[in-house]
Amino acid sequence: MYLVCGEALFDFFSLAPGARSSELAFKALAGGSPFNVAVGLRRLGVASALSGGLSTDFLGVRLRQVLAEEGVNGDYLVASDAPTTLAMVGVDAQGSPQYSFRGEGCADRLLRREHLPELDARVRGLHVGSYSLVVTPIADTLFELVGRESDRRLISLDPNVRLNVEPDIQLWRRRIEAFAAHAHLIKVSEEDLGLLYPERDPQDVARQWLGERCQLVFLTHGGDGASVHSRRHGHWSVPAQAVQTRDTVGAGDTFQAALLAYLARHGLDSAQGLAGISREQLDGMLELAIRAAALTCSRVGPDLPYWHELDAL
């Protein structure tokens, strides 16, 4: 089982303008990058749990209901009287989402060190990412958790930079580098690396993250596909799959979930398994992740695919 750590929230998507300018209509969808990864793993047939603060308000109750319906383990959720974070989402002409967050003092940010769980043998790996890496107190809590567990379990990281939550890019750099030092696998978008290191070649940053602990860095290039840097096998790229894109919401989370699902399905979800992975298996990981992300892009919102849908393709 993967323990995915971080935020769960509701994305409010603006709908077409109504007859009067004084009216705005929205469609709300459960989301948050860690939430999506946890759900995506279950839809790909892999056991997952979500760790984080979840509000007792009506939106938090609905989030808990969605997790239960999807089969995501809720044993590591911490109930809070604080409200649920809201993300207001507009989609541009290219299908890329633009976010505005309402989250100060909300439940997902309030995970503290005293909430850290003791993990048993069911938990094979931990995944962390998104703004939970930088907002406190949850950022400090998750850093303590990965530091405690990185010699015992697989650690994966997706920076998923959100400057509209925390605009201090220097803070993002410091936090991500600290988490990266504990990670065995890193997935990052070229867009994120452009924000973090605008004057550096993204491929150079990916190579730099490889080390004795970190075995794999996956770099996504949007419509241009993805590449992998392997400590053992070197670097290569794979093109994207052609698809009629509705929007790209959840595509990165889908890619991440597919990578982790591949490892679990092939018994490679450990530091030792990752170190011994073959070139052919890495090609399989990339192919699965690209297919899965393309399917999400063909749909509206973070509607991550099921294993049977990918199998049918």
Side-chain angles (χ1 to χ4, degrees):
M1 179 172 71
Y2 282 102
L3 182 61
V4 185
C5 307
E7 67 267 16
L9 51 84
F10 263 95
D11 291 318
F12 280 73
F13 291 84
S14 58
L15 302 180
R20 297 190 297 178
S21 58
S22 59
E23 296 178 354
L24 286 174
F26 293 92
K27 181 178 182 179
L29 296 174
S33 178
F35 179 96
N36 291 338
V37 172
V39 169
L41 282 165
R42 285 298 301 126
R43 291 188 175 188
L44 294 176
V46 174
S48 70
L50 185 66
S51 174
L54 203 61
S55 178
T56 55
D57 67 13
F58 76 98
L59 291 175
V61 170
R62 181 60 67 92
L63 287 169
R64 192 179 289 271
Q65 178 183 343
V66 173
L67 291 169
E69 291 173 353
E70 294 284 353
V72 176
N73 185 308
D75 292 348
Y76 303 92
L77 294 170
V78 177
S80 170
D81 291 335
T84 298
T85 292
L86 308 181
M88 316 305 290
V89 188
V91 179
D92 66 18
Q94 288 72 46
S96 297
Q98 309 296 316
Y99 293 92
S100 175
F101 289 86
R102 309 292 191 272
E104 190 69 31
C106 287
D108 59 330
R109 305 186 183 202
L110 300 182
L111 196 70
R112 302 182 185 279
R113 288 186 169 99
E114 58 266 27
H115 298 135
L116 282 178
E118 290 300 323
L119 305 182
D120 59 29
R122 293 179 303 163
V123 178
R124 300 278 295 168
L126 304 176
H127 175 71
V128 294
S130 195
Y131 66 75
S132 293
L133 304 176
V134 296
V135 298
T136 55
I138 188 174
D140 296 331
T141 304
L142 295 186
F143 188 66
E144 183 171 322
L145 179 64
V146 298
R148 190 188 80 187
E149 300 294 333
S150 59
D151 288 333
R152 292 183 276 185
R153 304 172 209 278
L154 185 71
I155 306 294
S156 63
L157 167 68
D158 175 10
N160 202 18
V161 177
R162 292 285 180 261
L163 293 181
N164 42 14
V165 175
E166 172 49 70
D168 186 348
I169 194 62
Q170 297 287 351
L171 175 61
W172 277 97
R173 288 192 196 111
R174 290 195 303 272
R175 288 289 191 171
I176 289 168
E177 292 297 339
F179 276 96
H182 291 290
H184 302 96
L185 181 154
I186 300 172
K187 192 279 289 183
V188 63
S189 70
E190 194 170 54
E191 180 181 6
D192 281 349
L193 288 185
L195 294 171
L196 289 166
Y197 306 104
E199 298 179 357
R200 296 185 60 187
D201 183 340
Q203 304 291 353
D204 287 340
V205 178
R207 280 191 292 270
Q208 178 185 316
W209 277 338
L210 291 176
E212 186 173 341
R213 186 182 302 277
C214 185
Q215 300 294 314
L216 298 173
V217 178
F218 291 90
L219 181 56
T220 60
H221 309 287
D224 293 325
S227 56
V228 60
H229 288 265
S230 165
R231 187 165 179 257
R232 184 179 180 191
H233 300 290
H235 162 252
W236 65 97
S237 299
V238 176
Q241 180 174 314
V243 66
Q244 184 67 41
T245 299
R246 305 285 297 280
D247 66 50
T248 63
V249 178
D253 301 328
T254 304
F255 193 98
Q256 180 71 64
L259 293 177
L260 299 179
Y262 184 96
L263 293 177
R265 282 179 165 269
H266 291 81
L268 298 167
D269 51 344
S270 65
Q272 296 77 17
L274 215 61
I277 197 168
S278 70
R279 167 70 188 251
E280 291 73 24
Q281 288 169 325
L282 281 174
D283 282 333
M285 284 181 74
L286 272 172
E287 194 268 341
L288 178 66
I290 286 172
R291 272 196 297 140
L295 191 52
T296 296
C297 289
S298 73
R299 311 200 279 218
V300 175
D303 186 6
L304 282 68
Y306 293 86
W307 182 261
H308 68 84
E309 294 177 300
L310 297 177
D311 209 26
L313 296 175

